[in-house]
C-alpha cells in the first residue's frame, strides 16, 4: 500500500470546526430552519403490553394551533416498514414508551400541551420484562450482531475443564446501559413538490440512513436526502434510523408542511436503543503454569418482541487468548421491552468485562501476577480464524502500562493496603477491538489555489473533519488550511456510518485515494472521484485488531462503601495516530464511560410498570470530572502495513472495553471481595463490607 507523507498526519491539529461550535454557528439537526415549519410531539404508551382500544383526540384538536393528531387509525401505511420503524402501523403495544400517537402543531409549546390532552384507552395484557438465566423462552438466534456465528466450539471443552488442575466457574451480570449523547435524537423533514424527501437528522451515517428511510417509504434512494453536518454525540444510538425520523416524515406528509421532532431525554430511554443486560457464565481451565486449557463463555441477554437484536457478547473471547479447547454461546429471550441496539463497543464491552474479570480470578487462584497470566496465554495467530494478526501488541501495552503505573511495587495480596478508613487496590485488564473498514466514495476538486474534498462521512464529535482534513492535506502536499471538507450529506455519495471504529480507516482510504488521484493522475483535471469498493474487497486476509490495557487504582471507604479513583491509565496499540489531540480525547472518553459502567450507570427496571424508572440524567448517573483524580491515555508507536494507506486503527471504542474489569479487579484487590454484578453501587459495596 502507498503511505501518506507525514506532514499533517500525526500533528496535534486543533479541530477545524472549533470556531463554528464555540460561536454557535454549527447547526445540529433540530436547529435547522425551514419556511412554514411546524412541530410534532410524541404520545407514548403508558402500558407495557396490550392494544390501543380507543384514542380520543378531540381535546387536543380543539386547542388553537393544533394541525393533526396521528395514530394507527389515520397514519400513512408503510408496507415496507418493520420493527421499530413500523410507526403507527397497528394498535399493538409492545413496550411502555412506544409511540402510539403524535400531535402536530404550529408551536412546540402547543404540541406538548396537546400531547397531554390526547386520551388513550388500552386493553392491557400480562407482560414480561425481566431477564433471567432460567427463562423458559430462551432461544438461539440465527446469528449475533452483525453476522457472527451464534455458537462456536473447538476441541473437548467439558473434558478439558474436568481435567484442568485449576478452574474458575463464575457468573457476571450487567444491567441495561443507556446512550446519553448531549444532543437528543431529533429530525426535521420536508417533502418536495417532486415527491422527494429531505431530512435533517441526528444520525451517525447519512448514506445508510438514506437507504433505510427510502425503503420504509417505498422510495428510490435518490429521492431521499439526509443531512447531518454536525452531530452531538451518538455512541451507537444514532447508528441506525430511529423512530423520530420516520415520525417527522409521516407528519410532514400528513400536514403538508415541514415538521420538527425532538425526542425528550426521558423518551430516549425507550426509543433510541440501549445496551442489553447480560448474564454471563465464564469457565476457565488452566495448568499450574497458567496456560489455559479451556475457555467457555455462555451469554444470556434480551431482545424485544418487536425486532431481534443479539449482542455479540462472547465473540471477543474467541480470539483474545490461546486455548486448545474453546466454546462460546449466546441465548436470547424476547421480552416486552424496547429493542436493544448498539452502544459503544457492542459485544466487546460487556464481554470483556466478564472475561477479564474471570482472568483476574484465575490469576489469584494460581497465585500468578495477572499481567504475567495474560502474557503466558498470548496466541501467535488468531485462535478463531487461524489467520495471522496484522499486528498484535497487547503484551507491549501491558508491559508499557505496568512500567508507567508502577505495577512492580504492587503487593499481590488482596486487602493488604490501608490508609485510615480507605482500602487501596490496583487492577488491570486487557482490551481489544476490531480494525475494520468499508467502501466509501469521495470527490476532490480544485477551488482556485485551494481544494474541496467531499465525502458523506459523519463527525459525531470525534474530530472526523479534522483528521480527514489532515489526510487530505498530506495526500495533496498542501497545508491543512487549504482544504475545505464537505461531509454529513447523503448527496455526497456512499459512505459507511461513524461506528464500529471504522470511520477514519474507511473514509480516510477514500480521501487519500481521491486526493492522490487528483494531483498525480489528473493534473489537468479539476475534479477526481473514487470508490474504494474494489480495493477493500481485494484486501489481504489478516486478523486486524487494536489492543490496549487499562490500569486503575481505587480507594474504598471501609465505613461508607464509597469508591474513589485516584488514577486511571490506558495504553493502546492502534496503528498510526492521525491526531494526538483528538485521539487522546477519544481514549479518555471511552475510559470515562467504562468508569461509569463499573461504578455508576444502571437502568433500573420497575417490573410492575415495565419501564426504566431512572430515565433522566438526575437518576441515571454518569461520570463527571470529580469522579477520577487523574486519567491519562497514551499509545505505543505501532506500524501496521496491512490496514489502509494511513495505517490507522479505530480508537473510538477500545477505551471503554477493558476499563470496567480493571476497576472491579482493583476493588477486589483493595477489599478482598469479588463483585460480579455491575455497577458497584455504594449500597452493594457497603453490604458486602459489613
Amino acid at each position: 500500500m502507498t503511505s501518506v507523507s507525514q506532514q499533517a498526519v500525526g500533528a496535534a491539529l486543533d479541530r477545524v470546526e472549533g470556531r463554528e461550535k464555540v460561536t454557535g454557528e454549527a447547526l445540529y439537526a433540530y436547529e435547522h430552519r425551514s419556511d412554514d415549519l411546524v412541530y410534532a410531539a410524541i404520545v407514548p404508551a403508558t402500558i407495557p403490553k396490550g392494544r390501543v382500544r380507543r384514542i380520543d383526540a378531540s381535546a387536543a384538536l380543539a386547542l388553537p394551533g393544533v394541525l393533526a393528531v396521528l395514530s394507527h387509525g389515520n397514519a400513512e401505511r408503510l408496507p415496507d416498514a418493520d420493527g421499530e420503524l413500523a410507526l403507527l402501523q397497528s394498535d399493538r403495544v409492545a413496550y411502555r414508551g412506544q409511540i402510539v400517537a403524535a400531535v402536530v402543531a404550529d408551536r412546540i409549546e402547543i404540541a406538548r400541551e396537546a400531547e397531554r390532552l390526547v386520551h388513550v384507552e388500552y386493553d392491557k395484557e400480562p407482560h414480561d420484562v425481566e431477564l433471567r438465566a432460567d427463562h423458559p423462552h430462551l432461544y438461539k438466534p440465527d446469528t449475533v450482531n452483525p453476522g457472527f456465528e451464534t455458537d462456536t466450539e473447538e476441541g473437548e471443552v467439558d473434558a478439558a475443564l474436568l481435567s484442568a488442575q485449576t478452574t474458575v466457574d463464575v457468573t457476571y451480570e450487567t444491567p441495561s446501559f443507556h446512550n446519553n449523547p448531549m444532543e437528543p435524537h431529533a429530525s426535521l423533514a420536508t417533502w418536495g413538490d417532486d415527491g422527494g424527501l429531505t431530512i435533517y437528522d441526528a444520525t451517525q451515517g447519512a448514506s445508510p440512513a438514506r437507504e433505510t428511510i427510502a425503503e420504509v417509504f417505498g422510495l428510490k434512494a435518490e429521492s431521499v436526502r439526509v443531512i447531518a453536518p454536525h452531530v452531538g454525540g451518538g455512541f451507537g444510538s444514532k447508528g441506525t434510523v430511529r423512530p423520530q425520523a420516520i415520525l417527522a416524515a409521516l407528519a410532514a406528509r400528513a400536514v403538508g408542511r415541514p415538521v420538527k421532532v425532538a425526542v425528550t431525554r426521558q423518551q430516549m430511554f425507550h426509543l433510541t436503543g440501549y445496551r442489553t443486560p447480560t448474564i454471563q457464565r465464564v469457565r476457565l481451565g488452566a495448568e499450574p503454569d497458567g496456560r489455559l486449557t479451556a475457555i467457555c463463555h455462555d451469554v444470556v441477554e434480551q431482545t424485544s418482541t418487536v425486532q431481534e437484536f443479539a449482542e455479540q457478547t462472547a465473540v471477543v473471547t474467541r480470539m483474545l487468548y490461546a486455548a486448545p479447547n474453546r466454546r462460546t454461546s449466546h441465548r436470547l429471550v424476547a421480552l416486552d421491552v424496547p429493542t436493544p441496539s448498539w452502544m459503544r463497543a457492542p459485544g466487546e464491552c460487556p464481554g470483556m468485562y466478564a472475561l477479564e474479570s474471570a482472568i483476574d480470578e484465575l490469576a489469584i487462584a494460581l497465585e500468578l501476577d495477572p499481567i504475567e497470566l495474560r502474557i503466558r496465554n498470548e496466541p501467535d495467530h488468531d485462535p478463531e480464524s487461524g489467520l495471522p494478526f496484522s499486528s498484535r501488541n497487547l503484551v507491549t501495552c501491558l508491559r508499557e502500562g505496568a512500567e508507567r503505573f508502577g505495577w512492580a511495587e504492587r503487593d499481590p495480596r488482596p486487602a493488604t493496603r490501608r490508609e485510615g478508613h480507605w482500602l487501596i487496590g490496583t487492577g488491570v485488564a486487557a482490551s481489544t477491538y476490531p480494525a475494520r473498514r468499508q467502501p466509501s466514495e469521495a470527490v476532490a476538486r480544485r477551488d482556485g489555489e485551494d481544494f474541496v474534498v467531499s465525502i458523506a462521512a459523519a463527525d459525531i464529535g470525534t474530530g472526523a473533519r479534522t483528521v480527514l482534513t489532515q489526510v487530505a492535506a498530506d495526500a495533496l502536499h498542501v497545508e491543512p488550511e487549504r482544504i475545505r471538507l464537505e461531509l454529513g450529506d447523503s448527496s455526497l455519495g456512499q459512505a459507511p456510518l461513524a461506528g464500529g471504529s471504522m470511520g477514519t480507516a474507511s473514509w480516510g482510504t477514500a480521501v487519500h485515494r481521491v486526493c492522490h488521484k487528483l494531483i498525480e493522475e489528473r493534473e489537468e483535471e479539476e475534479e477526481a472521484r473514487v470508490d474504494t469498493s474494489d480495493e477493500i474487497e481485494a484486501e489481504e486476509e489478516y486478523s486486524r485488531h487494536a489492543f490496549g490495557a487499562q490500569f486503575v487504582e481505587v480507594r474504598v471507604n471501609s465505613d461508607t462503601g464509597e469508591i474513589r479513583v485516584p488514577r486511571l491509565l490506558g495504553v493502546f496499540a492502534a496503528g498510526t495516530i492521525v491526531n494526538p489531540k483528538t485521539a487522546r480525547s477519544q481514549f479518555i472518553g471511552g475510559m470515562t464511560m467504562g468508569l461509569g459502567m463499573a461504578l455508576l450507570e444502571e437502568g433500573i427496571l420497575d417490573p410492575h410498570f415495565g419501564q426504566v424508572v431512572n430515565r433522566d440524567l438526575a437518576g441515571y448517573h454518569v461520570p463527571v470530572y470529580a469522579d477520577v483524580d487523574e486519567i491519562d491515555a497514551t499509545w505505543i508507536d505501532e506500524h501496521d502495513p496491512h490496514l489502509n494507506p494511513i495505517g490507522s486503527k479505530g480508537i473510538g471504542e477500545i477505551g471503554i472495553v477493558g476499563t470496567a474489569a480493571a476497576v472491579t479487579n482493583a476493588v477486589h484487590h483493595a477489599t478482598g471481595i469479588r463483585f460480579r454484578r455491575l455497577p458497584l453501587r455504594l449500597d452493594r459495596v457497603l453490604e458486602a463490607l459489613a
Side-chain angles (χ1 to χ4, degrees), residues 301-428:
E301 53 197 28
Q302 73 187 36
T303 186
S304 74
T305 62
V306 177
Q307 183 175 346
E308 182 180 278
F309 178 82
E311 181 128 318
Q312 69 276 29
T313 306
V315 166
V316 68
T317 301
R318 300 171 185 174
M319 57 69 60
L320 191 57
Y321 297 117
N325 305 286
R326 303 187 310 279
R327 182 167 67 218
T328 61
S329 72
H330 301 80
R331 294 296 179 268
L332 288 183
V333 59
L335 301 176
D336 303 312
V337 296
T339 308
S341 187
W342 301 327
M343 185 172 179
R344 201 171 196 168
E348 282 79 6
C349 181
M352 284 284 278
Y353 158 66
L355 176 63
E356 288 299 282
S357 298
I359 289 289
D360 197 70
E361 298 204 43
L362 180 62
I364 293 167
L366 291 166
E367 297 183 347
L368 189 64
D369 181 85
I371 293 178
E372 180 61 28
L373 175 61
R374 290 172 171 86
I375 292 173
R376 291 185 185 184
N377 289 284
E378 177 73 359
D380 57 9
H381 62 275
D382 187 324
E384 174 67 13
S385 67
L387 294 172
F389 288 103
S390 64
S391 59
R392 181 178 167 114
N393 283 298
L394 173 57
V395 171
T396 306
C397 291
L398 288 164
R399 287 179 171 154
E400 176 76 13
E403 177 69 24
R404 288 173 175 266
F405 199 73
W407 189 262
E409 302 168 8
R410 178 185 193 256
D411 187 333
R413 297 170 299 167
T416 57
R417 186 179 170 195
R418 186 180 189 120
E419 293 180 4
H421 298 286
W422 294 95
L423 307 172
I424 303 171
T426 52
V428 64

